[in-house]
Amino acid sequence: MHTLVRWFHHVASPPIFDRFAARWSRVFYVAALPVLLIGLWQGLFVVPAEQSQGDAFRIIYIHVPSAWMSLFVFALMALYSAIALVWRIKVCEILAMACAPMGAGFTLITLLTGSIWGKSTWGTWWDWDPRMTSELILLFLYLGVIGLYYAIEDRRSAARAAGLLAIVGVALLPVIRYSVDWWGGLHQRQSINVFGDNAVRAELIAPLWWMVAGTKLWFAGSLLAKARADNLLREAGKAWVAERIGGGAASAAGEMPR
């Protein structure tokens, strides 16, 4: 068996995943905090105001990373769901469903910050612009996945049904990405690119990359922490869970003063 595939199956074992998630969720959280603080500090206090929008443009340091994360998390959720459906890996079901509430949160932040930005730029809180409308549909898809998952009592059947919805819903992602190019609307065309030229001045972009990296790190830590909690809940009653929890309690008790 290929080394990567063997490692993947090894980590997907619930007890091993618990140890992996417990260790790396803390690492990602610790790494995310300074990166986010640097991005926010530079975006709010260091870079100069934008020529046409003034200080209102600073909302991009929240809006753009959240928008990118709303698409990235849905694609990741669909990928985990596909792996779970094909290879019946329980941890991938857990990871897929753990993505949903966080992705919904990023999508909601995108819509709220977009509305605030739109008010200062276009003079309206909301317009049925193709990009805004398709992003709203994405939020409904996230909520649909969450609702379907909790509507079915059996966790594995629920994860498979909700995962299928996520796989079908991934077709919306290119629509969101190219909606402005296809149908126009109030929303500006893509002005910031990971690869290629940017329409935004270089000194204004640097804090954005800090925020993009920070949100990715924070998401990785949160995903592992939530998936670990869900994994422990599903495995409740197993000997390894009792040993893990009992061992932690015993260690804590041993550290108490006598």
Side-chain angles (χ1 to χ4, degrees):
M1 185 182 293
H2 191 276
T3 304
L4 182 60
V5 176
R6 185 167 60 249
W7 176 88
F8 183 78
H9 280 277
H10 176 71
V11 174
S13 169
I16 295 174
F17 175 77
D18 180 74
R19 289 195 296 269
F20 177 87
R23 176 185 304 167
W24 286 99
S25 60
R26 290 192 290 267
V27 171
F28 284 124
Y29 275 137
V30 171
L33 184 59
V35 175
L36 288 171
L37 289 176
I38 291 171
L40 284 172
W41 171 257
Q42 290 188 354
L44 295 179
F45 303 108
V46 176
V47 299
E50 205 270 336
Q51 292 178 350
S52 59
Q53 298 183 37
D55 285 324
F57 93 100
R58 298 182 192 277
I59 204 167
I60 71 168
Y61 301 120
I62 302 297
H63 177 74
V64 173
S66 297
W68 289 357
M69 286 300 295
S70 70
L71 304 181
F72 170 77
V73 175
F74 199 96
L76 185 65
M77 179 173 64
L79 176 62
Y80 280 135
S81 297
I83 294 173
L85 285 172
V86 173
W87 286 288
R88 305 288 183 179
I89 298 176
K90 185 189 298 185
V91 168
C92 285
E93 294 175 3
I94 294 171
L95 286 166
M97 294 303 102
C99 284
M102 285 178 281
F106 279 117
T107 308
L108 182 60
I109 293 171
T110 301
L111 291 168
L112 292 176
T113 54
S115 294
I116 296 170
W117 196 2
K119 180 61 177 177
S120 64
T121 306
W122 307 325
T124 180
W125 294 102
W126 183 264
D127 183 87
W128 293 102
D129 171 270
R131 174 66 60 79
M132 297 172 72
T133 304
S134 54
E135 188 76 13
L136 179 62
I137 295 172
L138 181 66
L139 177 60
F140 290 152
L141 271 174
Y142 271 122
L143 296 178
V145 170
I146 296 169
L148 184 58
Y149 179 62
Y150 287 104
I152 301 173
E153 186 174 353
D154 180 71
R155 293 296 85 196
R156 301 213 65 180
S157 298
R160 285 193 286 269
L164 186 59
L165 176 58
I167 294 170
V168 173
V170 82
L172 179 66
L173 302 188
V175 175
I176 297 173
R177 171 61 178 83
Y178 296 105
S179 57
V180 179
D181 298 326
W182 293 343
W183 300 298
L186 289 177
H187 203 286
Q188 66 189 50
R189 293 183 180 274
Q190 192 84 5
S191 57
I192 301 173
N193 300 287
V194 178
F195 305 104
D197 297 330
N198 293 293
V200 181
R201 302 202 315 267
E203 66 268 24
L204 303 182
I205 294 181
L208 181 64
W209 299 136
W210 283 101
M211 292 300 295
V212 168
T215 51
K216 290 286 194 300
L217 291 169
W218 180 88
F219 166 73
S222 298
L223 177 63
L224 289 175
K226 178 166 176 48
R228 185 191 180 214
D230 292 346
N231 182 48
L232 288 171
L233 189 61
R234 283 202 190 191
E235 296 290 305
K238 299 287 183 67
W240 73 267
V241 175
E243 182 182 351
R244 193 71 47 86
I245 295 175
S251 298
E255 293 172 0
M256 292 177 61
R258 300 182 179 223

